[in-house]
Amino acid sequence: MTISNPTVSTPETQFYTWKGYRCAYSVHFPTDGTTEGIPLLLIHPIGVGLSRQFWQRFCREWHNKGYRNPIYNPDLLGCGESDKPRVAYTPTDWAEQLKYYIETVIQKPVIALAQGGLTPVAVSLTQFAPDKIRALVLSGAPGWAIITKETPAWQHKVSWNLFDSPLGKAFYRYARRRQFLQSFSIKQLFENANSVDGEWLDTLEKGAANLDTRYAVFSFLAGFWRKNYQGAIASISQPTLVIVGEKATNISREGKQEPPRQRLSKYLEYLQNGQGRIISGRNVLPYESTAEFVASVAEFVATIKV
């Protein structure tokens, strides 16, 4: 991996069409246009106000440190500037979207980075397009007790129907209030309350301004991603880096008693070609612990042959 000190461009939003929907993305690279290495594909988390903007600090730090990999940063359907149909989204839907995005826009194999609860999307992507994924980085992956627990389909549907109602709409209006976003971030996402800054809250408020973003959030909360991924994870042959925060926690009660090192060891036990890092921070490492996260990813990426 070649390291220099390029200035960083501010990318414009671009669009492609998938299954009749308009999907947004941006490409980050040094302003001199010189890129090297395997492209990075970023998979943002799902939550109130979250979109590809979650990765802005990572993108800035990556190129400010002189790494020249092009970075592809898409908005998943239902999020950001992509279309937001009123449907229940599953990891399979988003993995299929990203497979199409790789094939038609990037047109090269990638190293995929997934945040938090979107780990199942990255896992599904390795199954749908194994030849398109050179390596994986799983940041803040869910606890092992969560990622390997199947929940019944009827439960997902009941939850979705509750969320997809006037009551759910009212809840989303409440959840996108700045005070709630700040409180939730401090209690569930960040190690240091001071890290829940204006940039974070402004981004979430702007991202949640469109009420139609609730469909993706409610799909996640309804648990359409919840199934046993143990076999799928064990089938991943690509090099995989799992990064866990030293103060990592789980929101779901199944993983409440699982210490970070235990979580990491479980993933490494089943991954064929896995390695792990524990860094400072809690559950949003690319944002809260950007420099450490970039350093860990860069060290890993340097081991992946072009």
Side-chain angles (χ1 to χ4, degrees):
M1 180 187 300
T2 300
I3 300 177
S4 58
N5 291 298
T7 54
V8 181
S9 65
T10 301
E12 62 180 23
T13 301
Q14 302 181 61
F15 296 92
Y16 65 99
T17 300
W18 174 68
K19 291 189 174 181
Y21 296 114
R22 191 170 185 247
C23 301
Y25 70 97
S26 55
V27 185
H28 300 248
F29 49 85
T31 53
D32 64 10
T34 303
T35 60
E36 295 180 8
I38 303 169
L40 307 184
L41 170 65
L42 307 182
I43 305 175
H44 65 76
I46 300 296
V48 178
L50 290 170
S51 68
R52 76 180 195 273
Q53 302 305 324
F54 170 83
W55 290 103
Q56 292 303 317
R57 284 192 175 184
F58 171 84
C59 295
R60 290 197 300 266
E61 179 74 7
W62 186 265
H63 285 141
N64 280 335
K65 288 298 183 184
Y67 305 115
R68 290 186 168 272
N69 305 71
I71 301 174
Y72 289 82
N73 192 12
D75 275 327
L76 298 173
L77 195 66
C79 307
E81 296 178 79
S82 291
D83 283 347
K84 304 166 187 65
R86 183 181 178 179
V87 298
Y89 302 90
T90 70
T92 298
D93 296 325
W94 286 318
E96 289 179 349
Q97 176 192 350
L98 293 176
K99 176 178 182 291
Y100 180 85
Y101 177 66
I102 295 170
E103 292 172 344
T104 61
V105 177
I106 304 177
Q107 299 183 358
K108 293 180 180 179
V110 302
I111 297 173
L113 286 69
Q115 166 61 31
L118 270 288
T119 292
V121 175
V123 173
S124 298
L125 192 54
T126 63
Q127 296 180 314
F128 294 159
D131 59 323
K132 304 296 183 184
I133 307 300
R134 295 292 302 277
L136 290 177
V137 177
L138 305 179
S139 167
W144 193 254
I146 298 170
I147 202 74
T148 58
K149 181 177 180 180
E150 190 94 30
T151 55
W154 66 263
Q155 186 174 315
H156 305 160
K157 292 178 181 179
V158 169
S159 298
W160 169 258
N161 289 336
L162 178 62
F163 284 127
D164 187 30
S165 68
L167 181 63
K169 187 175 183 180
F171 167 72
Y172 196 75
R173 288 184 182 277
Y174 173 79
R176 67 179 184 171
R177 293 167 56 247
R178 192 178 185 91
Q179 183 179 0
F180 179 88
L181 293 170
Q182 183 177 29
S183 175
F184 181 84
S185 297
I186 291 171
K187 291 178 180 178
Q188 303 290 356
L189 301 180
F190 286 76
E191 176 185 0
N192 185 345
N194 293 328
S195 298
V196 183
D197 56 14
E199 180 184 358
W200 173 258
L201 296 174
D202 289 346
T203 299
L204 295 187
E205 280 192 309
K206 182 178 179 180
N210 186 332
L211 276 174
D212 289 345
T213 56
R214 70 187 187 276
Y215 303 125
V217 176
F218 289 164
S219 297
F220 186 79
L221 293 179
F224 286 101
W225 64 280
R226 297 290 296 269
K227 70 175 189 178
N228 186 351
Y229 292 94
Q230 179 173 303
I233 291 171
S235 72
I236 296 173
S237 60
Q238 292 91 339
T240 302
L241 172 65
V242 183
I243 306 179
V244 177
E246 61 184 8
K247 300 296 183 180
T249 57
N250 286 300
I251 296 174
S252 300
R253 63 179 180 273
E254 298 96 320
K256 286 290 186 181
Q257 304 304 317
E258 182 185 65
R261 290 191 181 278
Q262 181 181 331
R263 181 191 308 194
L264 179 58
S265 66
K266 275 295 185 180
Y267 276 91
L268 298 184
E269 179 182 341
Y270 284 90
L271 286 166
Q272 296 180 35
N273 193 4
Q275 53 185 282
R277 302 282 189 281
I278 292 181
I279 66 174
S280 65
R282 192 175 176 189
N283 294 334
V284 285
L285 304 177
Y287 192 93
E288 185 177 20
S289 306
T290 310
E292 281 187 80
F293 183 81
V294 164
S296 296
V297 173
E299 181 181 355
F300 173 70
V301 169
T303 68
I304 310 301
K305 295 182 179 179
V306 178

